[in-house]
Each structure stands twice: as C-alpha cells, then as structure tokens.
Amino acid sequence: MVPLEEGRYYHIYNRGINSCDLFLYDDDFLFFLRNYFYYLYPTVETFAYCLMKNHFHFLIRVRTIEEQKQFFESFSLNSSTEGPIWLPHGYNNEKFKVQTPSRQFSHLFNKYSRNFNKWANRTGKLFEQPFKRKVITDESYLIHLICYIHRNPIHHKITDTFEAYPYSSFKTFLSGTPTFLGVKKVLNWFQGKKGFIAAHKEMKLKITPEMTLE
C-alpha cells in the first residue's frame, strides 16, 4: 500500500466489504465522525466529506511533520488553562510524537469495526482493504471533487436535495458553526459562499489564477 505523503491532497474513499452497510442508524454516522476527528485531525486537513450507507468520501491534505509539531504545540498552549473535553489522539502526551496518517486511518477503521460488529451482532471485516486513495494535483479537479462529494447522495439517488443531506459537510460551510474542516480555504477556492453554492448547483466553475492550493 502506497503511503500517504506529506503535503499532498487526496481523495480518500472506501466501502463496506462486499458492499455491506457501514452505517445503520444516525448514531453510527456520528460515532464515525467523532472518531475521524479524534484519530485524523492531528495528521490531516479535511476539506469535504460525505458518509453514505455503504461507503464514504473525504478530501484531505496530509500535514507535514513540521505542521504536525506546530499544531501540537499550538493546541497544547491554547488548551493549557481550561483544557478541551476531548483531546485528539496523542494530544495527552507531554512530548510531540509524529503520527502516520495511514496508520491513523487504520486506527479509525479498526475502532469503528469493533463497535459496529458489537452493535450489529456480526463478526469479521467491515471495510474493504486497503482503503482507496487518489492523489489530487489539479486545482480544477479538486474544486470539482468537492462538489461531487457533496452531491454524492443525488448521484446514488438517496435524495433530490443534496443541500439537506445530514451526513455531508456541505451545510457546515454555510452555517458558521465551529468545525474541524478547512472552511476558509475551501470558500477561498470558490471565491466565497456565493461561488460555493453556485458551483454545487451547476457542477462547473471558472478557474482563476487566484485559486491556489496553498
């Protein structure tokens, strides 16, 4: 399995083994997202996601080791007085330790599989292995992919109104609520909320030199 490389953007996606369901109830989706934050937040930036009944999509950028270290130090400094209720994986350590994103994804899938099997009274693997990843190097494709991920429920005929689908990140970009997503970067790529909404409705967007990945 090719490792996820520092600084690169990836489309991460996977499905249940033999296309089995991954999520049965609302709490399953929420449990998966909470543990995604717990295991992946220290190692990747997340720009879009959509959880479907038997598969999922994420658009991420892998943090560099230096970014991991700076993020760890900043997080520790900002939380030193009151302290967050739920620390990300590894953030209760006194010293910084590099986390490998591929390993963190494995932690997530293993944790979720154990709990899901217990809830559903099943045994065996839950996710296809290895999980799928596609390197994103083209800005136009990256922007198109964000729209594709959010419109995935329409693509699979789950709903006619992707805006209201509860298990994608679309609404987060419009709500202004606290989130682990890179909202500012994404909206800059679309030149603001209006461009973000229009691109999702049209599935097309004029690319300009200002739409950089940095």
Side-chain angles (χ1 to χ4, degrees), residues 63-101:
R63 301 185 197 274
T64 64
I65 292 177
E66 184 59 30
E67 287 170 344
Q68 279 195 44
K69 185 176 181 179
Q70 292 175 356
F71 190 71
F72 175 86
E73 292 172 349
S74 174
F75 196 99
S76 300
L77 177 64
N78 292 333
S79 62
S80 59
T81 54
E82 297 180 2
I85 296 175
W86 200 31
L87 289 167
H89 184 255
Y91 276 53
N92 56 347
N93 297 334
E94 292 185 2
K95 295 184 179 180
F96 168 74
K97 183 178 181 181
V98 175
Q99 298 187 35
T100 306

Side-chain angles (χ1 to χ4, degrees), residues 42-200:
T43 60
V44 306
E45 295 179 272
T46 304
F47 302 111
Y49 70 80
C50 186
L51 308 183
M52 304 293 290
K53 198 168 186 179
N54 67 352
H55 69 283
F56 61 79
H57 296 270
F58 285 90
L59 173 59
I60 68 166
R61 175 188 172 273
V62 177
R63 301 185 197 274
T64 64
I65 292 177
E66 184 59 30
E67 287 170 344
Q68 279 195 44
K69 185 176 181 179
Q70 292 175 356
F71 190 71
F72 175 86
E73 292 172 349
S74 174
F75 196 99
S76 300
L77 177 64
N78 292 333
S79 62
S80 59
T81 54
E82 297 180 2
I85 296 175
W86 200 31
L87 289 167
H89 184 255
Y91 276 53
N92 56 347
N93 297 334
E94 292 185 2
K95 295 184 179 180
F96 168 74
K97 183 178 181 181
V98 175
Q99 298 187 35
T100 306
S102 294
R103 184 176 298 169
Q104 295 305 107
F105 271 110
S106 294
H107 288 329
L108 167 65
F109 300 147
N110 290 336
K111 173 70 174 294
Y112 184 80
S113 296
R114 288 194 302 270
N115 284 270
F116 183 88
N117 283 350
K118 182 178 179 180
W119 300 332
N121 193 28
R122 71 182 295 276
T123 58
K125 295 180 180 179
L126 180 61
F127 296 93
E128 289 192 348
Q129 296 178 333
F131 64 90
K132 312 298 190 300
R133 77 284 308 275
K134 180 179 176 62
V135 179
I136 309 300
T137 57
D138 179 81
E139 294 174 9
S140 177
Y141 181 74
L142 180 144
I143 292 170
H144 180 86
L145 180 60
I146 292 173
C147 296
Y148 169 78
I149 289 174
H150 288 151
R151 291 175 60 93
N152 208 240
I154 290 180
H155 177 72
H156 291 282
K157 298 180 172 57
I158 302 300
T159 178
D160 294 328
T161 56
F162 72 91
E163 297 95 333
Y165 185 71
Y167 307 117
S168 87
S169 54
F170 177 81
K171 291 189 293 185
T172 305
F173 292 97
L174 308 179
S175 67
T177 56
T179 178
F180 63 85
L181 298 169
V183 170
K184 185 176 180 179
K185 280 189 177 182
V186 171
L187 293 180
N188 283 341
W189 293 335
F190 287 92
Q191 298 182 322
K193 288 184 180 181
K194 289 185 178 179
F196 179 81
I197 294 171
H200 280 75

